[in-house]
Amino acid sequence: MMLFGLEESTVIALTGGVRASWGPGPTDAAAAADLFARAAWTGIAEPGDGAAGLLVQGLGAGPALTAVLDLWTGARLAAALAATGWPLTDDLPVQLEQGLQRWRPRLSSAEVIRSLQQAARVSTGLLVPTDPPWPTGVDDLAVHAPVALWWRGVPTALSALSNSIALVGARAATGYGEHVAMEASAGLVDRGFLIVSGAAYGIDGMAHRAALASSGLTVAFLAGGVDRYYPSGHDALLSRIATVGAIVSELPCGAAPTKWRFLQRNRLIAAASAATVVLEAGWRSGSLNTAGHAAALGRPLGAVPGPVTSPTSAGCHRLIREYDAVCVTTAAEMAELVGERMLNLTLDLPPANGDTAGFGGRTSEQVRVFDSLSTRAARTVPDIARRAGLSTAAVQGSLGALDLEGVVREKETGWVRGR
C-alpha cells in the first residue's frame, strides 16, 4: 500500500518514530498506513470537523485519505459510505463536497512527513482509538471525536483519565479563585483523582501546579502542537507535566494555537473527564464553553460560588442559577459529582450583548479567517483557506464581511489585518 506516493518501508519507518514513547511501532504495512493516514488527517482537517470524522469512521482513515487524494466527488464519497451501511441523507453529498474544498488545499506529503519527524525528535507519540491508553471518553463526541491524539508524557496519566475531574476557570483569576483552585486540586489528588485542565494562565495553571505539588497526576490539553508550549510563560510548567503527567493535542507538531482551536480544545477537556468544575469565570468566560460541552455530553457539572460583587464569579453564578450546575465549595463535594453523574442537558448559553457565539458578533468562519491573517505579510485567498481549514468560497465570503467591518484590508499581493 502506498500513501502520498511513499513506499511501505518509508511509512513504517516514519510511524515507528511516534510509537516508541509507549510501545512498539507498527510491524505490518496495514497498521503503518492507518497510523500515517491518521497523522495526515490531524493536519488536513481542523479539530472537530464532523465531515472528516464521519468519513474516517465510515471508510477508515487510509481509504478515506486515498479517496480524497484520488479526487473523489462528494457524491461518490456519500455512495461509498452508504455501501458500508452508513445512513445516506439528502445533504450528505453536499456536506462531503464542502469538506473536500476545505481539505484539498492542505494535502501535502511534505507536511505529514515533517510533523512525524518533528514528533519523533521531541519524543511525541501518536495515539489512535484502538490503543489501550486512548481516553475513551472522547468517543462520546461521535463524528466530532479526534481522529488521533498527539501526546507527550507517561502512559499511566492517559490511562487514569477515566477517573479524572476537569478544573477550569478564568485566565484573569483573582487571589480568591487561585486559592480555591489550589485547595480543590490538592484535595482531589488526595482522593485519587487525576486533574485535567488547559494549561492557561490563572485557574488552569494553578490547578496543574497544585496537582504536581501534591505528587498527583495531571493532563493538559493544548490548542496547538505539543512541541509548541502555549502560553510561553508556562514552559516550565508544561515541561514538568510532560515529565510526570501528559500533554495532549489533536493537532500535529508545529501547529499554532488559534481562538477557534481553543474552543475546540475545550470539548476534549470536557469529554475526557468524568466531571467538570468551573472554579471562577466571568459572564463571557471561555470556561463556559467547556461547561457547555460537559453538559451536552451528560457529564456532571459543578460551579464554585464567589462574592456576588465579583465579576469574575458571575459566570459561575449564572451556571448555578440558570443551568442547574451543582454548587460545590470543597474537594469532597466535587468528588461527589463523579458518583452522581446527574446532569444531562444541552447548555445553550445565549450570547451576551448580541455577541455571536462569543466571537464579538462574528461567525466561527470569520474568526478562523481573521486568525489566519497577519498584520504585515499579505496572504492570498488559497493560503488563507489552507491555514483556516476552509473552502476558498467560505474564505472569500468571510473576507468580505471582515472588510466591511474594517478589520482587514486587501493589498496587491493579498489580504492583511487592519491596523
Side-chain angles (χ1 to χ4, degrees), residues 94 97-103 105 363 365-366 369 380-386 388-402 415:
V94 175
E97 188 63 44
Q98 292 173 344
L100 291 169
Q101 295 177 30
R102 296 193 297 270
W103 308 325
T363 66
E365 290 184 349
Q366 290 167 10
V369 168
T380 63
V381 170
D383 184 30
I384 297 169
R386 180 183 62 81
L390 296 170
S391 66
T392 55
V395 168
Q396 289 169 337
S398 296
L399 285 171
L402 292 170
W415 289 84

Side-chain angles (χ1 to χ4, degrees), residues 97-175:
E97 188 63 44
Q98 292 173 344
L100 291 169
Q101 295 177 30
R102 296 193 297 270
W103 308 325
R104 281 176 178 150
R106 291 185 170 184
L107 292 174
S108 169
S109 59
E111 285 297 315
V112 184
I113 293 171
R114 182 204 60 76
S115 64
L116 286 167
Q117 290 175 335
Q118 173 64 7
R121 277 194 294 269
V122 297
S123 300
T124 294
L126 183 64
L127 209 62
V128 298
T130 54
D131 292 332
W134 178 263
T136 55
V138 301
D139 295 337
D140 291 343
L141 294 166
V143 295
H144 301 288
V147 173
L149 290 170
W150 300 88
W151 71 288
R152 299 172 69 179
V154 295
T156 51
L158 296 177
S159 301
L161 279 169
S162 59
N163 189 41
S164 65
I165 292 181
L167 300 180
V168 297
R171 288 177 173 82
T174 65

Side-chain angles (χ1 to χ4, degrees), residues 257-405:
T258 65
K259 186 171 185 178
W260 170 259
R261 290 171 177 174
F262 276 111
L263 293 173
Q264 291 302 302
R265 179 276 310 268
N266 290 345
R267 83 191 198 287
L268 298 185
I269 293 176
S273 308
T276 295
V277 177
V278 182
L279 299 168
E280 189 175 47
W283 189 263
R284 297 170 58 187
S285 171
S287 303
L288 302 188
N289 176 260
T290 309
H293 286 298
L297 290 166
R299 301 290 194 272
L301 175 63
V304 176
V308 295
T309 55
S310 173
T312 52
S313 288
C316 293
H317 300 156
R318 184 182 182 191
L319 291 174
I320 295 169
R321 183 171 188 263
E322 300 179 17
Y323 301 101
D324 293 332
V326 178
C327 177
V328 290
T329 59
T330 65
E333 292 174 355
M334 296 174 193
E336 290 175 4
L337 291 173
V338 177
E340 292 178 7
R341 299 183 181 274
M342 60 180 291
L343 198 63
N344 188 13
L345 55 90
T346 299
L347 189 61
D348 185 18
L349 291 169
N353 301 323
D355 185 6
T356 304
F359 293 148
R362 298 172 192 161
T363 66
S364 61
E365 290 184 349
Q366 290 167 10
V367 170
R368 289 163 68 174
V369 168
F370 187 75
D371 282 342
S372 303
L373 293 173
S374 168
T375 56
R376 290 174 292 185
R379 291 172 179 165
T380 63
V381 170
D383 184 30
I384 297 169
R386 180 183 62 81
R387 291 171 183 269
L390 296 170
S391 66
T392 55
V395 168
Q396 289 169 337
S398 296
L399 285 171
L402 292 170
D403 190 21
L404 289 173
E405 191 181 333

Side-chain angles (χ1 to χ4, degrees), residues 212-236:
L212 293 172
S214 302
S215 300
L217 290 174
T218 185
V219 172
F221 283 89
L222 305 186
V226 295
D227 64 329
R228 201 169 163 163
Y229 291 165
Y230 185 90
S232 58
H234 279 175
D235 278 3

